[in-house]
Amino acid sequence: MTNILEVKDLNISFHTFAGEVKAIRGVNFELKKGETLAIVGESGSGKSVTTKAIMKLLPPNNSEIKKGQILFDGKDLTNLTDRQMQKIRGKDISMIFQDPMTSLNPTMTIGKQIMEPLIRHQNMSKAAATERSLQLLRLVGIPKPEQRIKQYPHQFSGGMRQRVVIAIALACNPKVLIADEPTTALDVTIQAQILELMKDLQNKIETSIIFITHDLGVVANVADRVAVMYGGKIIEIGTVDEVFYNPQHPYTWGLISSMPSLDARDEELYAIPGTPPNLLHPPKGDAFAPRNEYAMQIDLEEEPPMFKVSDTHYAATWLLHPDAPKVEPPAAVVKRMQKFSGTK
Amino acid sequence: MQKKEKLLEIRNLKQYFNIGKPNEVKAIDGISFDIYKGETLGLVGESGCGKSTTGRTIIRLYDATEGDVFFKGESVHGKKSRSELKKFNRSIQMIFQDPYASLNPRMKVSDIIAEGIDIHNLARNGKERMEQVYSLLETVGLNREHANRYPHEFSGGQRQRIGIARALAVQPEFIIADEPISALDVSIQAQVVNLMKKLQHEKGLTYLFIAHDLSMVKYISDRIGVMYFGKLVELAPAEELYSNPLHPYTQSLLSAIPLPDPEFERTRRRKTYDPSSHQYADHEEVIMREVKPGHFVHCSEQELKKYQAQYKS
């Protein structure tokens, strides 16, 4: 499969009154055509900053891309001017934002907002754009689109608004769709509908999706591959089966064991101790080391490189070094690993 | 289980908004349930189903339109003198959803926590007041140094701990937690839930835990109630509800939860709920009926027979 998007050694800093916040510290990944890559991590781990950099939506006055490239179809997006980027944004790469309540313009009708990218990017006539908008609304499952198209966002419920946002994002058949926590603000039943809709649409128009979330259940549902971010870096990346059934990084172990399972009632839930690192002063070694019960001396001194687990699975932890001592992962993780070896 | 003592009885509670206007909303439409001492009752349902309103009406933030809540046999919504109300307010406390909005940004943490202590005169002097604040901070896993800071200096998880310390300050018996963890990160959610469980063991607290994250609710709750459009549709012990959901809405809700297990997700079948599928006749009485001891379902006489038959097979 060909890579549609490649992010290479991306470093992004924010300049604040307190100093330079190193939000992204060397992120590498690629997105293949037609796949869904999920990025997980807690708030402040850099998931949203990464995707905003791809969309060139970072605030221009206090953010800076220190290093690295974002290659889309071979073009480096970091070098583009605003005007050049406007031709790509919304056409080739589009985005679904987290909060459907604030990402629509309350003073414009739904129809006008869907037609905007069509008229702008595809030079459609107004009549053709209206026709296409109706088609899009039907595609995302909004009943009576002929009436709905003339209505304003406040006349829609949260789930319906998110469908409208998806319709706008899909209007120009983008090659890459970035979904930043698209279902976090929604109920489970609506969430399930939206996820089904996105998968269905992906099959129809072959879009590649970057899906940002912190809900591991959603990841298991939608993703082909998963990247786990912590402290501005990707610390583990692999196929969904590899990350869920054979996780290698202690942070991934922690994430997986802190989710209560529906079938077992355990005594105490595993909680990752401590709080995320302060990226004003990023730690010297592995950013997760202070919260990591498996941390070794080297974790505090030197950053671990990405170790290869399989052709598709990489993790940045010194535990994978050939000289590292063998450690026993938490019980919940061991259970999963056994399941994985069972399915093979 | 030993003989259970009823701490709270909710009887045919109704809460309507905009009464008599065209946009009248029946937020809670006649619900009844009991909460036993020392248990955690989880309340789940989609947004707008009335679960938060239920919590707020129980604590008398809203006056009930009809029906009543009895706390230890005493009516909550009945007429109360100032001192009675004060006593009631001391025994029930609330933890709110948004730890960013529920702490006054202009007050120091010590004053936020001690507000209840001051109102109820629980400390004899300033020194005792601060001692109580320090011990509360330590109970919820913060340090005494945090007392002199302001809310903006804390992360979401820490703020929620402050909210819990504030609720505990007046030594309540019953705490209503309205989505206390939905604004927090996964790794922090586990910390707060563990803290709440620990405090329950130590202080014998009773919780009403309102949430829409069903896996966390199952983890913390002894019994779970499912709400749909202002009505309680099913109430059962937590294990029972998940292993044997009877009401079609509960089934659809449970089938919609994505689990962190890719293998399972590939084969998951989602059920949808259609309220018209019940086809109740006009004369049929649709109320909460006990299908099995402790397992209540909102259904008609006929459905009850069907559910009971399902059990036997």
Side-chain angles (χ1 to χ4, degrees), chain A residues 43 187 245 262 269 272 336, chain B residues 47 185 191 194 218 260-261:
Chain A
S43 2
D187 286 314
Y245 296 134
L262 274 180
L269 215 51
I272 301 173
R336 280 172 175 273
Chain B
S47 41
D185 273 317
Q191 290 180 6
N194 281 342
K218 176 177 182 244
D261 188 339

Side-chain angles (χ1 to χ4, degrees), chain B residues 87-190:
Chain B
K87 193 171 138 242
F88 167 74
N89 284 345
R90 207 187 135 182
S91 38
I92 303 193
Q93 286 288 311
M94 192 147 178
I95 301 168
F96 294 93
Q97 173 173 9
D98 185 351
Y100 292 87
S102 60
L103 302 177
N104 187 336
R106 299 178 53 163
M107 275 166 85
K108 270 194 238 164
V109 168
S110 59
D111 295 325
I112 291 173
I113 295 176
E115 205 173 2
I117 299 178
D118 298 341
I119 290 170
H120 296 284
N121 295 321
L122 300 180
R124 273 189 301 262
N125 50 42
K127 195 170 157 241
E128 203 179 294
R129 176 176 179 266
M130 284 319 282
E131 279 310 316
Q132 288 187 12
V133 170
Y134 291 148
S135 90
L136 283 164
L137 281 172
E138 277 159 16
T139 314
V140 297
L142 298 168
N143 326 329
R144 26 176 73 214
E145 288 83 58
H146 289 134
N148 283 322
R149 298 204 195 156
Y150 287 90
H152 74 263
E153 298 174 66
F154 294 91
S155 66
Q158 285 175 316
R159 283 177 202 225
Q160 205 54 294
R161 285 166 191 269
I162 296 170
I164 294 173
R166 170 174 65 182
L168 291 174
V170 295
Q171 296 144 22
E173 290 171 66
F174 179 56
I175 291 183
I176 298 174
D178 188 359
E179 310 223 10
I181 52 167
S182 30
L184 306 174
D185 273 317
V186 186
S187 72
I188 310 296
Q189 282 186 355

Side-chain angles (χ1 to χ4, degrees), chain A residues 41-44 47 184-193 195-196 199 214-218 220-221 223 240-241 244-245 251 255 258-276 291 336 339 343, chain B residues 45-48 51 155 158 182 184-194 197-198 201 212-216 218-222 238-239 242 249 252-266 268 270-272:
Chain A
E42 33 199 336
S43 2
K47 344 182 261 296
T184 310
L186 306 174
D187 286 314
V188 275
T189 39
I190 315 286
Q191 167 174 293
Q193 289 171 19
L195 295 181
E196 275 163 27
K199 276 192 281 190
H214 59 243
D215 185 336
L216 292 177
V218 173
N221 183 293
V240 67
D241 284 338
F244 275 86
Y245 296 134
Y251 177 65
L255 272 187
S258 64
M259 299 271 300
S261 58
L262 274 180
D263 48 299
R265 193 182 173 103
D266 330 275
E267 264 319 292
E268 185 161 89
L269 215 51
Y270 176 78
I272 301 173
T275 46
R291 299 172 75 186
R336 280 172 175 273
K339 199 171 167 190
T343 53
Chain B
E46 51 196 293
S47 41
K51 49 189 199 304
S155 66
Q158 285 175 316
S182 30
L184 306 174
D185 273 317
V186 186
S187 72
I188 310 296
Q189 282 186 355
Q191 290 180 6
V192 172
V193 166
N194 281 342
K197 274 205 140 176
K198 189 181 121 226
H201 280 297
H212 64 246
D213 176 349
L214 289 124
S215 50
M216 213 42 116
K218 176 177 182 244
Y219 176 73
I220 195 169
S221 308
D222 300 304
E239 288 294 327
Y242 280 81
Y249 177 68
S252 102
L253 197 63
L254 289 178
S255 73
I257 318 171
L259 294 182
D261 188 339
E263 204 58 53
F264 174 83
E265 282 302 314
R266 275 175 213 130
R268 183 161 62 96
R270 189 163 67 82
K271 291 183 184 164
T272 46

